[in-house]
Amino acid sequence: MCLGFEAFRERTSDFMRHYVTQSYTVRRQSLQIVPPCPPCPCTPGLIRTETYQYTAISDGVKNMYTNSDAVILFSTSGILDPNEVSIVNLFINGMLQPPNVYTVQPGVLILSDIPVQGVPLILQFIKMITS
């Protein structure tokens, strides 16, 4: 089927109006064809969380820390049971540590190495609440 010029222009114009956006480059105009966006999946909404923090300062000698080593000024909890929270992160001197270099038990943090004296040890606990 052969379209006349006016019909072709009308269909092209309709296509351009719905599927083409304009993006400008320096001194030149270019067109970018964007396919229609698929519908977004349903999201359950925001997940409520609670965060807790245990902070201690390394003495440069030991690799095991307990609730009694906490710096109360910077801690919001002791060392929680990892089975009662969703996520546990350890930061030594501000650097996130991989889970294979430490063990967390209720009230106890055991490190695979001895940190340098004076560096902060921060255990972050995140609990996701689904109800």
Side-chain angles (χ1 to χ4, degrees):
M1 170 165 112
C2 183
L3 295 175
F5 179 75
E6 287 299 315
F8 174 78
R9 187 170 61 151
E10 190 173 300
R11 284 191 179 182
T12 304
S13 172
D14 188 50
F15 174 81
M16 299 295 242
R17 206 176 8 250
H18 288 92
Y19 297 105
V20 176
T21 61
Q22 291 183 353
S23 62
Y24 294 92
T25 57
V26 179
R27 296 184 188 162
R28 245 189 295 185
Q29 180 180 8
S30 63
L31 295 177
Q32 179 182 20
I33 298 177
V34 179
C37 181
C40 295
C42 294
T43 56
L46 295 177
I47 297 173
R48 205 175 70 139
T49 60
E50 293 176 353
T51 59
Y52 304 94
Q53 179 174 308
Y54 164 85
T55 303
I57 303 297
S58 171
D59 62 3
V61 176
K62 62 185 175 185
N63 70 332
M64 186 168 72
Y65 292 84
T66 64
N67 287 338
S68 63
D69 297 310
V71 177
I72 302 300
L73 185 63
F74 301 115
S75 297
T76 60
S77 74
I79 301 172
L80 303 179
D81 183 347
N83 297 316
E84 308 254 330
V85 297
S86 306
I87 300 170
V88 177
N89 290 316
L90 173 65
F91 298 87
I92 298 179
N93 203 21
M95 297 297 294
L96 180 62
Q97 301 298 304
N100 63 336
V101 300
Y102 65 94
T103 304
V104 178
Q105 300 167 357
V108 180
L109 167 65
I110 302 169
L111 305 172
S112 62
D113 202 359
I114 298 172
V116 175
Q117 181 180 3
V119 301
L121 312 172
I122 300 171
L123 263 178
Q124 177 189 53
F125 301 96
I126 303 172
K127 182 187 265 188
M128 294 182 197
I129 301 165
T130 55
S131 58

